[in-house]
Amino acid sequence: MNDLIKDFIEKNVIDSLKTLLASSDSGEIQKAASVVASQFGSGFDISSGESVKKLITSFKKNLTLLIQKTWVDSADVSLKEEILVKLDKYCASVEAGNWSEVYASFTAIVNDVIYLMFGEMAKSEDFSEYALRIDPEFGIFWWYVNNLPATNDWPNEKNKAVMLIAMFFLANY
């Protein structure tokens, strides 16, 4: 995947993601987050409270619709309901500014939604390549998500930046 991704995005985006994940400097984090977010067409200001509030609302509405409209086997109907409950709790927490507290929940929600959309294929080794080839924009998003750690001990603002990038993509997908 790392070699293939270079066919779809610029080196500065790859480098910015590495910086975003490794840095503890707030200026570097903001700059790197902006470069990564620009890959998804975002010129949005993560420091603007009103922009963040609107993004959270759009993210929740769009993800709810995506979850509800995704056809699943009867065995996964309860998973859809669980994700919707988790999504409500997640959005309430981030609206209250508790980004670090819900990071693991966020990654779980994203992975569950991708599983609903693609089934067992989402868990296969070649899913990343498949995603890039069928929908490069989604494939780049999946590359981004796969680079995020399952858990972290980052400060609230870094968690906010990392999650807002993914939220922006999902709010507009």
Side-chain angles (χ1 to χ4, degrees), residues 3-169:
D3 289 336
L4 182 60
I5 197 68
K6 293 174 185 174
D7 293 342
F8 292 88
I9 60 175
E10 300 293 323
K11 183 180 181 321
N12 70 323
V13 176
I14 296 168
D15 293 343
S16 291
L17 179 58
K18 289 176 185 173
T19 299
L20 175 62
L21 298 177
S23 183
S24 59
D25 177 83
S26 62
E28 275 187 347
I29 291 167
Q30 296 298 322
K31 183 178 176 187
S34 293
V35 172
V36 174
S38 71
Q39 185 65 47
F40 302 122
S42 173
F44 126 157
D45 179 8
I46 66 172
S47 62
S48 167
E50 194 58 37
S51 293
V52 170
K53 192 173 183 175
K54 286 179 183 178
L55 178 60
I56 294 168
T57 300
S58 295
F59 163 76
K60 183 178 179 183
K61 285 180 183 177
N62 202 44
L63 205 57
T64 298
L65 184 62
L66 184 64
I67 293 165
Q68 290 173 339
K69 297 297 180 187
T70 299
W71 181 89
V72 295
D73 292 328
S74 58
D76 289 328
V77 170
S78 63
L79 177 60
K80 284 174 73 167
E81 293 167 6
E82 288 174 33
I83 297 169
L84 290 170
V85 170
K86 288 179 187 177
L87 180 62
D88 283 342
K89 289 179 182 177
Y90 169 80
C91 288
S93 290
V94 296
E95 286 171 345
N98 302 323
W99 296 90
S100 291
E101 292 174 19
V102 293
Y103 175 84
S105 177
F106 178 74
T107 59
I109 290 167
V110 170
N111 282 299
D112 286 346
V113 170
I114 302 307
Y115 171 78
L116 285 180
M117 292 171 61
F118 293 95
E120 286 298 318
M121 174 164 256
K123 295 180 180 182
S124 71
E125 275 188 39
D126 61 345
F127 181 68
S128 296
E129 182 177 336
Y130 171 79
L132 274 170
R133 298 208 186 277
I134 63 159
D135 182 350
E137 196 171 285
F138 177 80
I140 293 166
F141 169 73
W142 187 243
W143 164 81
Y144 174 74
V145 169
N146 276 327
N147 277 282
L148 299 178
T151 61
N152 69 59
D153 60 355
W154 298 334
N156 207 46
E157 285 303 308
K158 183 171 180 172
N159 275 303
K160 178 181 177 182
V162 167
M163 286 187 265
L164 285 175
I165 293 168
M167 289 172 74
F168 179 81
F169 176 83

